[in-house]
Amino acid sequence: MITAWLRGHLLFTFAVLVPTVCSVLYFSLIASDVYVSESHFIVSSSENAMPSGGIAEMLMGASLSHGQSDSSQVHDYILSRDALKELSERLKIEQIFAHREANFFDRFPGLTGGRSFEELFLYYTKHVSVEPDPMSSISVLSVRAFTPEDARRINAELLDMSERLVNTLNERSRRDLIQFADNEVKIASDKAKDAAVALLSYRSNQTVYEPNKEAAIQLEGVSKLHQQLITTEAEIAEIRKLSPDNPQIAGLEGSADLLRKTINAETGKVTSSSGSFSARAPTFERLQLDVEFADKQLGMALAELESARAEAQKKQIYLERLTQPSVQDKAMEPRRIRSIITAFIVSLLFWGIATILVATVREHGE
Amino acid sequence: MAEASTTSLADSFAIQWRVIRALFLRELITRFGRDNLGVLWLVGEPMLFTLGVTTLWSLAGLAHKGSGIPIVAFAVTGYSSVLMWRNSASQCTHAIEGNRPLLFHRSVQAIDVCLARIALEVTGATGSFIFLSSFFTYLGWMQPPDNIALVIEGWLMLAWFGASLALLIGAACVFSDLVHRLWQPVSYILFPMSGAAFMVDWMPKKMQGLVLYLPMVHGVELLRHGYFGTVVKTHYDLGYMAGFCLVLTLCAVYLVRVAGHRIEF
């Protein structure tokens, strides 16, 4: 009787009963439990996390794009072939996906049977997803596997790998930023050292410390001698006036002569062309200027390095785990009842359309 | 099933096929005639529409946003998809009423008239899309599609949506003239929201959720995903669109049948 009814309602049988029975069979007997492990993380840079208030805060809030691009770097990496390669080196992901208890359709080599890396990648992208939440910039990483522990392990490993990626990125951007400034500092400090050494060696070679000051001291000495000479000459003149034959005169004139000679010699030391202070002054001045200039350059380069460091610090991005990879104690997927109901409704819709269309087609032949 | 039928289902279908084909040719001639370009206007008309819109959008500099999509390709993929559902539906508003005398023939059904018009519009839009995209690709203004299979999939989904919408509108027009009056403004409002002039990804998250209730947005996004590949980020859910179209189709075929009977008797 049932077969008679089924034959009478061929369309209903094929459009509704068969698909629904198939889906009931599949979801109750065949479909394997799938466990989902979820973790939440946030990729932020210290630039965004700057403490500020009022308008500045509003503006910072508006420029969330920076943090977004940082997190999309991480998302892109997680769903990349590189990540899968690294993952399969660490976890033997192929075996995890080819779990024995999983049914033929859901297991890794699956229906196509291919075990190539590309097929593994395709399978991987269907079982790992990263969903960004642009409002809160929190990312949700979910991994599907056939045991809860496998899902958790893959998830945890992916998080570790992402952290490493973030560190590498930071390291690279820090290096790029600082390298140039560092080089400048090196060059400037070399120059400063060279200039200082040149000045020192000049001082020791020429046995002079600071020609200008020394010349001043020298000239001061000369002027004292001049004064003495003038006093002596005045004394001589006075004595001559009083008693021209005074025997003291010869002695005084002798000392006046000596003074004159000394004055000439001492003035020569300051101004004569060879080896005098004034001859040495230009070289010394230049060397001293070199030292000053090199010092200033070094100071500037150091300041720049400092600001580059600060900049690098600001550009630093962090991956912060908000929740650790979860472990499900009950498989929430596949949603068996829901899927069966969906299949039933869809096949009912099909049946409805088909019934009406068939009736319409038949009217053509009446 | 229908006891009165004297011919088999296959024969009936053959008859219907011939009817639709004849109606298609009849529509073609009555609409475009044999003057100047004649039936070439079938493709020419939507092409001119698309060209005009493309020029306008290029001048207005829409689709800048640094999305990396050339504006010509953006306009061609967007506007062609609009033509699919809007023209089909607009042409169907008068299909049943206008062909009332034909419906008294035993073998001409209301659905045949609508299907013939839909086929005409879909053919025209498809021809225009293929012609324009190959022409612009030849000129170097457009890249060839990244994944043709996805483009075809998106196109077929849009055609399905267009057809079921057109059937529904066409049938509803029989019951009330109001539908015809309302359809024009509604289609104008739907056009800017249909995803032809924007990518869902450009929208703020809240708007995205709202816009993705419209089934044609999914079709356009799928089409663009196929055309531009991963250059653009697309959001679509084929399951949603298929479910929507399925329900729409059921309502449409039911309503057309009722409408047909109402006209005949």
Short mmCIF file of all heavy atoms in Angstrom, two decimals, chain A residues 8-9 11 132-135 346 348-353 355-366, chain B residues 1-2 5-9 12-13 15-16 19 106-107 109 111-112 205 246-247 249-250 253-254 257 261:
data_model
loop_
_atom_site.label_atom_id
_atom_site.label_comp_id
_atom_site.label_asym_id
_atom_site.label_seq_id
_atom_site.Cartn_x
_atom_site.Cartn_y
_atom_site.Cartn_z
N GLY A 8 2.12 6.76 -6.61
CA GLY A 8 1.14 7.79 -6.96
C GLY A 8 1.67 9.19 -6.74
O GLY A 8 1.22 10.14 -7.36
N HIS A 9 2.60 9.32 -5.84
CA HIS A 9 3.15 10.64 -5.53
C HIS A 9 4.64 10.65 -5.83
O HIS A 9 5.46 10.93 -4.97
CB HIS A 9 2.90 11.00 -4.07
CG HIS A 9 1.45 11.08 -3.74
ND1 HIS A 9 0.69 9.96 -3.52
CD2 HIS A 9 0.61 12.13 -3.59
CE1 HIS A 9 -0.55 10.31 -3.25
NE2 HIS A 9 -0.63 11.63 -3.31
N LEU A 11 6.55 12.64 -7.49
CA LEU A 11 7.24 13.91 -7.32
C LEU A 11 7.55 14.16 -5.85
O LEU A 11 8.67 14.51 -5.49
CB LEU A 11 6.35 15.04 -7.87
CG LEU A 11 7.08 16.34 -8.15
CD1 LEU A 11 8.20 16.11 -9.14
CD2 LEU A 11 6.11 17.37 -8.67
N PRO A 132 37.38 39.09 11.98
CA PRO A 132 37.65 40.36 12.66
C PRO A 132 36.35 41.02 13.07
O PRO A 132 35.32 40.85 12.43
CB PRO A 132 38.35 41.19 11.59
CG PRO A 132 37.82 40.65 10.31
CD PRO A 132 37.38 39.23 10.53
N ASP A 133 36.39 41.74 14.16
CA ASP A 133 35.25 42.54 14.55
C ASP A 133 35.69 44.00 14.46
O ASP A 133 36.40 44.48 15.34
CB ASP A 133 34.82 42.19 15.98
CG ASP A 133 33.64 43.03 16.42
OD1 ASP A 133 33.20 43.87 15.62
OD2 ASP A 133 33.18 42.83 17.55
N PRO A 134 35.31 44.69 13.40
CA PRO A 134 35.85 46.04 13.19
C PRO A 134 35.45 47.02 14.28
O PRO A 134 36.13 48.00 14.50
CB PRO A 134 35.28 46.45 11.83
CG PRO A 134 34.20 45.49 11.54
CD PRO A 134 34.40 44.27 12.35
N MET A 135 34.34 46.77 14.97
CA MET A 135 33.93 47.70 16.01
C MET A 135 34.89 47.64 17.20
O MET A 135 35.28 48.66 17.74
CB MET A 135 32.51 47.37 16.49
CG MET A 135 31.46 47.44 15.40
SD MET A 135 31.54 48.97 14.47
CE MET A 135 30.40 49.95 15.40
N VAL A 346 13.81 22.97 2.46
CA VAL A 346 14.27 23.26 1.10
C VAL A 346 13.63 22.28 0.12
O VAL A 346 13.16 22.66 -0.96
CB VAL A 346 15.81 23.20 1.02
CG1 VAL A 346 16.27 23.17 -0.43
CG2 VAL A 346 16.41 24.38 1.75
N LEU A 348 10.85 20.76 0.50
CA LEU A 348 9.42 21.12 0.38
C LEU A 348 9.23 22.25 -0.63
O LEU A 348 8.33 22.21 -1.47
CB LEU A 348 8.88 21.56 1.73
CG LEU A 348 8.18 20.51 2.59
CD1 LEU A 348 7.57 21.16 3.81
CD2 LEU A 348 7.11 19.77 1.79
N LEU A 349 10.11 23.25 -0.54
CA LEU A 349 10.04 24.37 -1.48
C LEU A 349 10.19 23.87 -2.91
O LEU A 349 9.44 24.25 -3.81
CB LEU A 349 11.13 25.40 -1.17
CG LEU A 349 10.88 26.32 0.03
CD1 LEU A 349 12.12 27.13 0.34
CD2 LEU A 349 9.71 27.24 -0.25
N PHE A 350 11.18 22.99 -3.10
CA PHE A 350 11.42 22.41 -4.42
C PHE A 350 10.17 21.71 -4.92
O PHE A 350 9.74 21.87 -6.05
CB PHE A 350 12.56 21.38 -4.35
CG PHE A 350 13.84 21.92 -4.88
CD1 PHE A 350 14.95 22.05 -4.06
CD2 PHE A 350 13.95 22.31 -6.21
CE1 PHE A 350 16.13 22.55 -4.55
CE2 PHE A 350 15.12 22.80 -6.70
CZ PHE A 350 16.21 22.93 -5.87
N TRP A 351 9.60 20.95 -4.02
CA TRP A 351 8.42 20.16 -4.37
C TRP A 351 7.28 21.08 -4.78
O TRP A 351 6.60 20.86 -5.79
CB TRP A 351 8.04 19.27 -3.19
CG TRP A 351 6.74 18.58 -3.39
CD1 TRP A 351 6.51 17.52 -4.21
CD2 TRP A 351 5.49 18.92 -2.79
NE1 TRP A 351 5.20 17.15 -4.16
CE2 TRP A 351 4.54 18.00 -3.30
CE3 TRP A 351 5.08 19.87 -1.87
CZ2 TRP A 351 3.21 18.03 -2.90
CZ3 TRP A 351 3.76 19.90 -1.48
CH2 TRP A 351 2.84 18.99 -2.00
N GLY A 352 7.11 22.15 -4.00
CA GLY A 352 6.04 23.10 -4.32
C GLY A 352 6.22 23.70 -5.69
O GLY A 352 5.30 23.72 -6.52
N ILE A 353 7.44 24.16 -5.96
CA ILE A 353 7.70 24.77 -7.27
C ILE A 353 7.48 23.74 -8.38
O ILE A 353 6.81 24.01 -9.38
CB ILE A 353 9.14 25.32 -7.32
CG1 ILE A 353 9.28 26.47 -6.34
CG2 ILE A 353 9.50 25.77 -8.73
CD1 ILE A 353 10.70 26.91 -6.11
N THR A 355 5.70 21.02 -8.38
CA THR A 355 4.29 20.64 -8.56
C THR A 355 3.57 21.65 -9.43
O THR A 355 2.87 21.30 -10.39
CB THR A 355 3.59 20.58 -7.19
OG1 THR A 355 4.42 19.89 -6.29
CG2 THR A 355 2.27 19.89 -7.29
N ILE A 356 3.76 22.93 -9.09
CA ILE A 356 3.05 23.97 -9.85
C ILE A 356 3.53 23.99 -11.30
O ILE A 356 2.74 24.08 -12.24
CB ILE A 356 3.25 25.33 -9.18
CG1 ILE A 356 2.63 25.32 -7.79
CG2 ILE A 356 2.64 26.43 -10.04
CD1 ILE A 356 2.92 26.54 -6.99
N LEU A 357 4.86 23.87 -11.46
CA LEU A 357 5.40 23.91 -12.83
C LEU A 357 4.88 22.74 -13.65
O LEU A 357 4.47 22.89 -14.80
CB LEU A 357 6.93 23.91 -12.80
CG LEU A 357 7.57 25.26 -12.43
CD1 LEU A 357 9.08 25.16 -12.50
CD2 LEU A 357 7.08 26.35 -13.38
N VAL A 358 4.85 21.55 -13.02
CA VAL A 358 4.38 20.38 -13.75
C VAL A 358 2.92 20.56 -14.15
O VAL A 358 2.52 20.29 -15.30
CB VAL A 358 4.57 19.10 -12.89
CG1 VAL A 358 3.74 17.95 -13.46
CG2 VAL A 358 6.03 18.72 -12.83
N ALA A 359 2.14 21.10 -13.22
CA ALA A 359 0.72 21.32 -13.53
C ALA A 359 0.59 22.30 -14.68
O ALA A 359 -0.23 22.12 -15.59
CB ALA A 359 0.02 21.87 -12.29
N THR A 360 1.43 23.35 -14.65
CA THR A 360 1.38 24.33 -15.74
C THR A 360 1.77 23.70 -17.06
O THR A 360 1.14 23.94 -18.10
CB THR A 360 2.33 25.50 -15.43
OG1 THR A 360 2.14 25.89 -14.08
CG2 THR A 360 2.09 26.67 -16.35
N VAL A 361 2.84 22.90 -17.01
CA VAL A 361 3.28 22.24 -18.25
C VAL A 361 2.16 21.36 -18.79
O VAL A 361 1.86 21.37 -19.98
CB VAL A 361 4.55 21.41 -17.99
CG1 VAL A 361 4.85 20.51 -19.17
CG2 VAL A 361 5.73 22.34 -17.71
N ARG A 362 1.49 20.62 -17.90
CA ARG A 362 0.44 19.71 -18.33
C ARG A 362 -0.71 20.44 -19.02
O ARG A 362 -1.30 19.94 -19.96
CB ARG A 362 -0.10 18.94 -17.12
CG ARG A 362 0.73 17.72 -16.83
CD ARG A 362 0.02 16.79 -15.88
NE ARG A 362 0.96 15.85 -15.31
CZ ARG A 362 1.44 14.81 -15.97
NH1 ARG A 362 1.06 14.59 -17.22
NH2 ARG A 362 2.29 13.99 -15.40
N GLU A 363 -0.99 21.63 -18.54
CA GLU A 363 -2.10 22.39 -19.13
C GLU A 363 -1.88 22.66 -20.61
O GLU A 363 -2.83 22.87 -21.36
CB GLU A 363 -2.30 23.70 -18.38
CG GLU A 363 -3.10 23.51 -17.10
CD GLU A 363 -3.30 24.79 -16.35
OE1 GLU A 363 -2.74 25.82 -16.78
OE2 GLU A 363 -4.00 24.76 -15.34
N HIS A 364 -0.62 22.67 -21.03
CA HIS A 364 -0.33 22.90 -22.45
C HIS A 364 -0.85 21.77 -23.31
O HIS A 364 -1.10 21.94 -24.49
CB HIS A 364 1.17 23.05 -22.68
CG HIS A 364 1.70 24.36 -22.17
ND1 HIS A 364 2.01 24.56 -20.86
CD2 HIS A 364 1.94 25.52 -22.80
CE1 HIS A 364 2.45 25.78 -20.69
NE2 HIS A 364 2.40 26.40 -21.85
N GLY A 365 -0.92 20.60 -22.70
CA GLY A 365 -1.29 19.44 -23.51
C GLY A 365 -2.77 19.11 -23.43
O GLY A 365 -3.23 18.17 -24.06
N GLU A 366 -3.49 19.84 -22.60
CA GLU A 366 -4.91 19.49 -22.42
C GLU A 366 -5.73 19.72 -23.68
O GLU A 366 -5.50 20.70 -24.38
CB GLU A 366 -5.48 20.32 -21.26
CG GLU A 366 -5.22 19.66 -19.93
CD GLU A 366 -5.53 20.61 -18.79
OE1 GLU A 366 -6.17 21.65 -19.03
OE2 GLU A 366 -5.10 20.29 -17.66
N MET B 1 -2.61 12.63 -10.62
CA MET B 1 -2.45 13.95 -11.20
C MET B 1 -3.56 14.22 -12.20
O MET B 1 -4.52 13.47 -12.29
CB MET B 1 -1.08 14.05 -11.89
CG MET B 1 0.04 13.79 -10.91
SD MET B 1 1.14 15.17 -10.85
CE MET B 1 2.06 14.84 -9.38
N ALA B 2 -3.37 15.25 -12.99
CA ALA B 2 -4.47 15.68 -13.86
C ALA B 2 -4.94 14.55 -14.76
O ALA B 2 -4.21 14.07 -15.62
CB ALA B 2 -4.02 16.85 -14.71
N SER B 5 -5.50 15.13 -18.75
CA SER B 5 -4.43 15.27 -19.73
C SER B 5 -4.39 14.08 -20.66
O SER B 5 -4.49 12.94 -20.25
CB SER B 5 -3.09 15.42 -19.03
OG SER B 5 -2.59 14.16 -18.69
N THR B 6 -4.30 14.38 -21.91
CA THR B 6 -4.27 13.32 -22.91
C THR B 6 -2.86 13.11 -23.43
O THR B 6 -2.56 12.09 -24.01
CB THR B 6 -5.18 13.68 -24.08
OG1 THR B 6 -4.86 15.02 -24.49
CG2 THR B 6 -6.64 13.60 -23.69
N THR B 7 -2.01 14.11 -23.22
CA THR B 7 -0.63 13.98 -23.69
C THR B 7 0.29 13.75 -22.51
O THR B 7 -0.02 14.14 -21.38
CB THR B 7 -0.18 15.26 -24.43
OG1 THR B 7 -0.89 16.35 -23.87
CG2 THR B 7 -0.44 15.16 -25.90
N SER B 8 1.43 13.15 -22.78
CA SER B 8 2.39 12.88 -21.71
C SER B 8 3.05 14.17 -21.28
O SER B 8 2.97 15.20 -21.97
CB SER B 8 3.44 11.88 -22.19
OG SER B 8 4.30 12.53 -23.09
N LEU B 9 3.73 14.11 -20.13
CA LEU B 9 4.39 15.30 -19.59
C LEU B 9 5.44 15.81 -20.57
O LEU B 9 5.56 17.02 -20.83
CB LEU B 9 5.04 14.95 -18.26
CG LEU B 9 5.58 16.13 -17.48
CD1 LEU B 9 4.47 17.07 -17.08
CD2 LEU B 9 6.34 15.65 -16.25
N SER B 12 3.82 17.56 -23.44
CA SER B 12 3.31 18.85 -23.00
C SER B 12 4.45 19.86 -22.90
O SER B 12 4.31 21.02 -23.29
CB SER B 12 2.64 18.72 -21.63
OG SER B 12 1.64 17.76 -21.68
N PHE B 13 5.57 19.37 -22.36
CA PHE B 13 6.69 20.26 -22.22
C PHE B 13 7.20 20.72 -23.58
O PHE B 13 7.57 21.88 -23.77
CB PHE B 13 7.82 19.58 -21.43
CG PHE B 13 8.97 20.50 -21.16
CD1 PHE B 13 8.82 21.54 -20.25
CD2 PHE B 13 10.16 20.37 -21.83
CE1 PHE B 13 9.86 22.41 -20.00
CE2 PHE B 13 11.20 21.24 -21.60
CZ PHE B 13 11.06 22.26 -20.68
N ILE B 15 5.43 21.09 -26.20
CA ILE B 15 4.49 22.12 -26.67
C ILE B 15 4.82 23.45 -26.03
O ILE B 15 4.95 24.48 -26.69
CB ILE B 15 3.04 21.70 -26.33
CG1 ILE B 15 2.66 20.47 -27.15
CG2 ILE B 15 2.08 22.86 -26.62
CD1 ILE B 15 1.35 19.85 -26.73
N GLN B 16 5.03 23.42 -24.68
CA GLN B 16 5.31 24.66 -23.98
C GLN B 16 6.58 25.31 -24.52
O GLN B 16 6.66 26.51 -24.70
CB GLN B 16 5.46 24.39 -22.48
CG GLN B 16 5.62 25.67 -21.70
CD GLN B 16 5.77 25.45 -20.22
OE1 GLN B 16 6.11 24.36 -19.79
NE2 GLN B 16 5.52 26.48 -19.44
N VAL B 19 5.85 27.02 -27.63
CA VAL B 19 5.07 28.23 -27.37
C VAL B 19 5.99 29.37 -26.92
O VAL B 19 5.93 30.49 -27.42
CB VAL B 19 3.98 27.96 -26.31
CG1 VAL B 19 3.38 29.27 -25.81
CG2 VAL B 19 2.90 27.06 -26.89
N ARG B 106 -5.52 27.61 -25.96
CA ARG B 106 -5.41 26.54 -24.98
C ARG B 106 -3.96 26.36 -24.52
O ARG B 106 -3.67 26.16 -23.35
CB ARG B 106 -5.93 25.25 -25.62
CG ARG B 106 -6.30 24.17 -24.67
CD ARG B 106 -7.12 23.14 -25.43
NE ARG B 106 -6.65 22.99 -26.80
CZ ARG B 106 -5.88 21.98 -27.21
NH1 ARG B 106 -5.49 21.08 -26.35
NH2 ARG B 106 -5.49 21.88 -28.47
N SER B 107 -3.04 26.44 -25.49
CA SER B 107 -1.67 26.07 -25.14
C SER B 107 -0.80 27.25 -24.75
O SER B 107 0.39 27.09 -24.55
CB SER B 107 -1.04 25.31 -26.32
OG SER B 107 -1.40 25.94 -27.51
N GLN B 109 -0.02 29.79 -21.84
CA GLN B 109 -0.29 30.07 -20.43
C GLN B 109 0.34 31.39 -20.04
O GLN B 109 1.25 31.90 -20.70
CB GLN B 109 0.31 28.96 -19.56
CG GLN B 109 -0.21 27.58 -19.87
CD GLN B 109 -1.63 27.40 -19.34
OE1 GLN B 109 -1.99 27.95 -18.32
NE2 GLN B 109 -2.43 26.64 -20.08
N ILE B 111 2.32 32.01 -17.71
CA ILE B 111 3.75 31.90 -17.39
C ILE B 111 4.59 31.95 -18.67
O ILE B 111 5.72 32.45 -18.67
CB ILE B 111 4.03 30.62 -16.57
CG1 ILE B 111 5.41 30.71 -15.93
CG2 ILE B 111 3.91 29.38 -17.43
CD1 ILE B 111 5.65 29.65 -14.90
N ASP B 112 4.03 31.46 -19.78
CA ASP B 112 4.80 31.43 -21.03
C ASP B 112 5.10 32.84 -21.50
O ASP B 112 6.22 33.14 -21.94
CB ASP B 112 4.00 30.69 -22.11
CG ASP B 112 3.70 29.27 -21.69
OD1 ASP B 112 4.39 28.80 -20.77
OD2 ASP B 112 2.79 28.67 -22.27
N LYS B 205 29.96 48.65 9.19
CA LYS B 205 29.50 47.30 9.53
C LYS B 205 27.99 47.22 9.69
O LYS B 205 27.36 46.26 9.25
CB LYS B 205 30.19 46.88 10.83
CG LYS B 205 30.11 45.39 11.10
CD LYS B 205 31.07 44.62 10.22
CE LYS B 205 30.97 43.12 10.47
NZ LYS B 205 31.71 42.37 9.47
N LEU B 246 14.45 30.70 -3.78
CA LEU B 246 13.59 29.52 -3.75
C LEU B 246 12.19 29.91 -3.29
O LEU B 246 11.17 29.55 -3.91
CB LEU B 246 14.20 28.49 -2.80
CG LEU B 246 14.03 27.02 -3.15
CD1 LEU B 246 14.48 26.74 -4.56
CD2 LEU B 246 14.84 26.18 -2.17
N VAL B 247 12.13 30.66 -2.19
CA VAL B 247 10.83 31.09 -1.67
C VAL B 247 10.14 32.00 -2.68
O VAL B 247 8.94 31.85 -2.96
CB VAL B 247 11.02 31.82 -0.32
CG1 VAL B 247 9.69 32.37 0.18
CG2 VAL B 247 11.61 30.87 0.71
N THR B 249 10.56 32.07 -5.87
CA THR B 249 10.11 31.29 -7.02
C THR B 249 8.79 30.59 -6.72
O THR B 249 7.87 30.57 -7.55
CB THR B 249 11.18 30.26 -7.43
OG1 THR B 249 12.42 30.92 -7.51
CG2 THR B 249 10.84 29.62 -8.75
N LEU B 250 8.72 30.00 -5.53
CA LEU B 250 7.50 29.29 -5.18
C LEU B 250 6.30 30.25 -5.20
O LEU B 250 5.27 29.97 -5.81
CB LEU B 250 7.65 28.66 -3.79
CG LEU B 250 6.42 27.88 -3.30
CD1 LEU B 250 6.15 26.71 -4.23
CD2 LEU B 250 6.62 27.39 -1.88
N VAL B 253 5.58 31.27 -9.00
CA VAL B 253 4.90 30.32 -9.89
C VAL B 253 3.46 30.09 -9.43
O VAL B 253 2.56 29.94 -10.25
CB VAL B 253 5.65 28.97 -10.00
CG1 VAL B 253 6.93 29.14 -10.80
CG2 VAL B 253 5.94 28.36 -8.65
N TYR B 254 3.26 30.12 -8.12
CA TYR B 254 1.91 29.95 -7.62
C TYR B 254 1.02 31.12 -8.07
O TYR B 254 -0.07 30.93 -8.63
CB TYR B 254 1.92 29.86 -6.09
CG TYR B 254 0.54 29.80 -5.51
CD1 TYR B 254 -0.22 28.63 -5.63
CD2 TYR B 254 -0.03 30.90 -4.87
CE1 TYR B 254 -1.50 28.57 -5.12
CE2 TYR B 254 -1.30 30.85 -4.37
CZ TYR B 254 -2.04 29.68 -4.49
OH TYR B 254 -3.30 29.62 -3.99
N ARG B 257 0.19 31.22 -11.76
CA ARG B 257 -0.84 30.23 -12.11
C ARG B 257 -2.23 30.76 -11.76
O ARG B 257 -3.16 30.72 -12.58
CB ARG B 257 -0.55 28.94 -11.35
CG ARG B 257 -1.27 27.75 -11.91
CD ARG B 257 -0.74 26.49 -11.26
NE ARG B 257 -1.79 25.50 -11.23
CZ ARG B 257 -2.18 24.81 -12.29
NH1 ARG B 257 -1.58 25.02 -13.45
NH2 ARG B 257 -3.14 23.93 -12.21
N HIS B 261 -5.29 31.81 -14.44
CA HIS B 261 -6.66 31.31 -14.40
C HIS B 261 -7.66 32.44 -14.27
O HIS B 261 -8.74 32.41 -14.85
CB HIS B 261 -6.81 30.32 -13.23
CG HIS B 261 -6.14 29.02 -13.51
ND1 HIS B 261 -6.51 27.84 -12.94
CD2 HIS B 261 -5.10 28.72 -14.33
CE1 HIS B 261 -5.73 26.86 -13.38
NE2 HIS B 261 -4.87 27.39 -14.23
#
